[in-house]
Amino acid sequence: MAKLALVINRTSGRFVRGDTDALAEELTAHPAIDTVWEFGEDDVEARIRDADSQGFDGIAIAGGDGTIQAVACMAHRNGAKCPLLPLPLGTANMLVHRLYGHRSASEMLDTVDDTQVKPFRPGLAGEEIFLVAAALGFPSTVARAREMVREADGVPPLPSLSRRIAAAARHAFKPRIHYWLDGDDRDRKRASGIYVDLDGEAEDMAYVAVHWRHIGDVAWAGLTLLTDIHDGERPGVAGRTGCIEARSRKPLALMLDGEPVFMPRNLTISRSDTPIRFLNWTE
């Protein structure tokens, strides 16, 4: 059986919503797991970098989407050769579902010998990577409100939630972002929000840019925004591109795979030339 190292984060994902010890024991006792590394320890990044030379066939990741993104970032930064195997132990499991469908963690470990290495080019927002999607501008404000609801233990704090929802609504109708595609700054457009998706194995990226002027644009966009390509004079633009460059007068708020970050006023979103290696099943 394949020899895996397991990076485990006991403070994220399903670990904080269930029996932490039982879940950890179930994972670490699996015969495919040879070594366990605790996420957050000082030497984890060095271990990920050197895992291939140490004879490991893969690095399994037990944690939420944020843990998976952080481990993938370490692998990308160091050009790690050992492939990753993120397990579905988070709340949203965005990347795991994108890569593997709805396999369970135990099923993935049981059948790890049936996998092969597949490279994946992550997205780059400045120097930060993302593996599924990036939301820029008002969609990131909406996402922060959603995260507050999702993470709340019981009823979320209504004053804070209300302020975030109101801020998202205000930002949605203020096109503060100037952007252009594939380096052509002669064709600048304006948007209040941009959503970028790394769909499948395509070399380019799918994107939606929103430029709403009034509430009627919202209804119009709900019917056509994700299916048609429109010019910059319409309420939204959707299509495919290899690169988006964005500019704003203020630092840009982003959500990268569900994690909030702030970027400088000038930002380039593209796909990295350096792939991350994942274990995946043949179809």
Side-chain angles (χ1 to χ4, degrees), residues 21 37 59 91 99 109 117 130 206 229 277:
D21 293 336
W37 302 332
I59 301 171
T91 302
L99 289 176
L109 292 175
V117 177
F130 60 98
I229 298 176
R277 294 156 61 88

Side-chain angles (χ1 to χ4, degrees), residues 10 13-27:
R10 301 170 195 264
R14 278 178 48 191
F15 290 97
V16 299
R17 301 193 308 275
D19 188 335
T20 299
D21 293 336
L23 179 56
E25 183 177 355
E26 177 185 348
L27 293 171

Side-chain angles (χ1 to χ4, degrees), residues 255-276:
M255 293 290 285
L256 301 180
D257 296 337
E259 297 297 311
V261 296
F262 281 92
M263 292 288 183
R265 296 183 297 111
N266 302 330
L267 177 67
T268 299
I269 300 176
S270 61
R271 295 198 80 154
S272 173
D273 292 329
T274 303
I276 299 173

